[in-house]
Amino acid sequence: MTGKPAHPDEAQAGLARHLLHQMLRVRRLEEKCVELYSEAKIRGFLHVYIGEEAVAAGVLETLEAEDAVVATYREHGHALLRGVPAGAILAEMYGYVQGCCRGRGGSMHLFDAGTRFFGGNAIVAGGLPLAVGLALADKMAGRARVTVCFFGEGAVAEGEFHESLNLAALWQLPVLFCCENNLYAMGTALGRSESQTDIALKAAGYEVAAWAVDGMDALAVHEAARRAVDAVRSGGGPHFLELRTYRFRAHSMFDPERYREKTEVAHWQERDPINLLRQALETAGHLTEAQWAGLQSDADTEVAEAVAFAEAGTPEPPEDLARFVYSEVHSEAHSERGPE
Amino acid sequence: MKTTYREAIRAAIRDALQRDDRVFLMGEDVGAYGGCFAVSLGLFEEFGPERIRDTPLSESGFVGAGIGAALGGMRPIVEIMTVNFSLLALDQIVNNAATLLHMSGGQFNVPLVIRMTTGAGRQLGAQHSHSLEGWYAHIPGLRILAAATLEDARGMLWTALQDPDPVLIFEHGTLYNMPGELDDDAGPVDITAAAIRRPGTDVSLITYGGTLPAVLDAAGQLSAEGVDAEVLDLRVLRPLDEAAVLATVARTHRAVVVDEGWRSGSLSAEISARITEASFYDLDAPVGRVCSAEIPLPYAKSQELAALPSVERIVRAAREAVGRSG
Ligand SMILES: Cc1ncc(C[n+]2csc(CCOP(=O)(O)OP(=O)(O)O)c2C)c(N)n1
């Protein structure tokens, strides 16, 4: 758990640099969100992913465009790396109609049909049954797609977790469960909520192939996810990854963090996934100063452009308030689809 | 003494824990975290982990455990973070807590109190903002309370704990920071009757919970226009204090119901129906209603505000009832 990532070899260096860039993009976006929150540009609940970037970066890299992703309220990074533009994400948090959900969802409810990103669910464990259903549809239609479902270890206590694992295994559905074990559900440490804290073992109890991975090591996450996704796609039934990670920031902007020691946070920060991969690349001679500077300025530019996009946004017109409570059957979205 | 709605509830919980050692508080993050809305802050340190009991994320599991503990002789206070999450415990609340007494031929009563936050106004989006207390008010076997004042925040809990049957107390999220004065010896209050918060003669504004402040504002505005509104706070959503509703209508002959829930199939519909059933010939105008827009509540501030009952909409509805629209 405390090991250093292996030095990427020449062949892997390109992938490693790409994952480093992906993590940086998320980090910069999240840092900006925190800043915008304190400026009151973003309101409501805001949960950032800082410290956990290796998980989304490693897993999402293994997916195809037609695969599906289900995530939680801590999903800005997942949305971004799945391909939702940073501007649409930020505009959503500003509550503007240019946001990926017209400003109706906010930080916790990012959805994007184009990238098959199914939210943004703020009911703990609420996304698991959805993912099972998406996978069931694929299986019944004979599509070789994978549905990836992200959730925190807090969800393991919910009935929906157990019901979902059981169904996925019983019906051998093409779903990859990714448990982001950051050790705390708000202020409740895993050991204070579970009699058995080995989560992969629990999943195995449902006959779901499961293994635990160092969630601070982007390459290790990627390798594990690649194996799991390949197995799921080729009909191997549901798989489960327990990604051992840590959130460096408070649960949300309202959390005074009374439940953990600063020293514990500092200890985990020594294994910052971005620093770890950067160092490994540098040591192996695969990342020059100029390359690192380039990755950073790319990420900074992307975020700056996203902020500008969001700043220029406008609220949804009041007369649209009641739209989409029911489907607008005659809308373009429907007619575009044509006869099926 | 100066206090807030949040502190008043905390004082009520502390008081109950001190007075009765069968009482304990149980829920998600009520302990080490200090309560998701900081209601129970400090109680974990004061009473320890047995009586301020953190639970896993298992709404159905721990609400069911509260029912069992109540059957076993304890007096649990179960906190559910918000009414939205209580849907994961609906089975336990509706199929067990509410039915066991009747189903067992009067043998097994469930002396359980469940507290939860309800309502919108904080830009929390559609999974954290709905007002579903009207649904619970549909269920025979439950007593449903909505605390809208500091006195009720302080006083409803103990009386609810004395009730032999399950009581749900709804706390509106926008009220927690509400400051005010509370008597030093404030204590238990009645949990059977509605209360007149402002007497008046021209129109009855009937509401409860989080919309009471807006209704009182509206009444103030109306009085400047020469309309004397009476404000009735229902306090108890089930069983409804129908006599109080009919009595205010008998005085003013006009009624507007203000309910943050949706209008269709709602508590406001129930109240309107009761008025027309029992007081039709007292009425000088149709019963008006101000409710939330029939949509999943949006995040964006402008749209959230547009969806919720506002002072302006309440004033307009009252004017219409007294025939001063336009
Ligand atoms: C059903 C339900 N219960 C409670 C909550 C309140 N809540 C929001 S996040 C959270 C902690 C969840 O922790 P975990 O699943 O480990 O995810 P993390 O926040 O650590 O990413 C809680 C209790 C909720 N949103 N949904």
Side-chain angles (χ1 to χ4, degrees), chain A residues 171-226:
Chain A
W171 296 336
Q172 287 296 293
L173 301 179
V175 52
L176 172 61
F177 296 104
C178 291
C179 178
E180 308 182 303
N181 180 2
N182 62 15
L183 299 176
Y184 292 90
M186 283 180 63
T188 302
L190 182 59
R192 297 183 62 239
S193 92
E194 289 295 316
S195 57
Q196 168 59 269
T197 56
D198 185 334
I199 294 172
L201 191 62
K202 275 184 200 283
Y206 288 101
E207 298 292 324
V208 174
W211 57 94
V213 187
D214 179 356
M216 300 311 236
D217 179 345
L219 285 171
V221 172
H222 179 266
E223 178 54 22
R226 196 188 50 74

Side-chain angles (χ1 to χ4, degrees), chain A residues 43-44 92-93 95 103-104 106 108-109 121-124 154 157-158 185-188 192-193 255 258 316-317 321 325, chain B residues 29 32-33 36 41 44 54 56-59 81 85 88 122-124 127-128 293-295 298-300 302-303 306-307:
Chain A
R43 296 284 81 187
E92 183 60 32
M93 295 191 226
R104 293 167 168 206
M108 300 192 287
H109 304 295
N121 203 299
I123 301 296
V124 170
E158 296 281 7
M186 283 180 63
T188 302
R192 297 183 62 239
S193 92
D255 170 13
R258 294 190 187 89
E316 187 181 39
L321 187 58
V325 175
Chain B
D29 281 308
Y33 188 85
C36 61
L41 186 63
F44 185 70
D54 280 322
L57 295 168
S58 309
E59 287 79 10
M81 286 180 163
F85 314 150
L88 282 77
R122 292 162 294 150
Q123 284 195 266
L124 298 182
Q127 291 183 337
H128 284 74
E294 306 248 339
I295 58 169
Y299 158 75
S302 53
Q303 295 291 63

Side-chain angles (χ1 to χ4, degrees), chain A residues 11-314:
Chain A
Q12 256 198 326
L15 170 68
R17 275 194 302 269
H18 175 66
L19 292 177
L20 183 61
H21 184 218
Q22 296 289 69
M23 292 194 287
L24 254 186
R25 293 174 63 211
V26 176
R27 178 72 55 96
R28 291 291 172 267
L29 179 65
E30 294 290 53
E31 287 166 348
K32 182 54 76 179
C33 288
V34 172
E35 201 181 306
L36 293 167
Y37 199 92
S38 40
E39 291 169 21
K41 302 269 178 155
I42 299 175
R43 296 284 81 187
F45 285 143
L46 179 75
H47 311 84
V48 296
Y49 198 55
I50 294 174
E52 308 184 41
E53 295 91 340
V55 175
V59 173
L60 292 173
E61 197 54 39
T62 65
L63 298 188
E64 307 290 337
E66 67 276 12
D67 292 337
V69 178
V70 178
T72 71
Y73 48 84
R74 197 184 297 288
E75 86 290 31
H76 314 155
H78 307 74
L80 181 73
L81 300 190
R82 183 60 185 160
V84 184
I89 294 173
L90 270 190
E92 183 60 32
M93 295 191 226
Y94 273 60
Y96 288 153
V97 73
Q98 292 79 7
C100 55
C101 301
R102 303 172 63 89
R104 293 167 168 206
S107 157
M108 300 192 287
H109 304 295
L110 305 173
F111 289 80
D112 183 53
T115 57
R116 302 198 77 228
F117 190 77
F118 292 89
N121 203 299
I123 301 296
V124 170
L128 278 92
L130 272 186
V132 167
L134 285 162
L136 177 62
D138 287 335
K139 175 150 181 159
M140 293 177 77
R143 292 184 291 243
R145 289 173 172 176
V146 176
T147 298
V148 174
C149 182
F150 293 92
F151 52 90
E153 85 294 340
V156 172
E158 296 281 7
E160 288 179 323
F161 169 89
H162 298 273
E163 293 167 19
S164 300
L165 258 64
N166 183 49
L167 281 178
L170 194 65
W171 296 336
Q172 287 296 293
L173 301 179
V175 52
L176 172 61
F177 296 104
C178 291
C179 178
E180 308 182 303
N181 180 2
N182 62 15
L183 299 176
Y184 292 90
M186 283 180 63
T188 302
L190 182 59
R192 297 183 62 239
S193 92
E194 289 295 316
S195 57
Q196 168 59 269
T197 56
D198 185 334
I199 294 172
L201 191 62
K202 275 184 200 283
Y206 288 101
E207 298 292 324
V208 174
W211 57 94
V213 187
D214 179 356
M216 300 311 236
D217 179 345
L219 285 171
V221 172
H222 179 266
E223 178 54 22
R226 196 188 50 74
R227 278 172 49 205
V229 165
D230 285 352
V232 172
R233 200 184 303 282
S234 57
H239 278 58
F240 188 104
L241 298 178
E242 177 194 342
L243 302 135
R244 298 193 172 155
T245 181
Y246 198 78
R247 97 177 125 64
F248 292 169
R249 300 295 179 95
H251 167 73
S252 73
M253 302 305 285
F254 293 107
D255 170 13
E257 291 187 84
R258 294 190 187 89
Y259 48 84
R260 63 182 189 184
E261 301 294 336
K262 292 215 162 55
T263 49
E264 181 185 299
V265 181
H267 172 74
W268 277 89
Q269 277 170 333
E270 286 166 19
R271 304 202 66 243
D272 185 315
I274 294 178
N275 290 344
L276 286 187
L277 188 56
R278 180 187 160 198
Q279 281 159 13
L281 275 164
E282 283 174 353
T283 311
H286 294 317
L287 185 71
T288 64
E289 272 298 317
Q291 281 173 315
W292 172 239
L295 295 184
Q296 293 195 85
S297 75
D298 266 12
D300 289 340
T301 307
E302 182 180 12
V303 170
E305 285 171 3
V307 172
F309 179 82
E311 286 285 337
T314 49

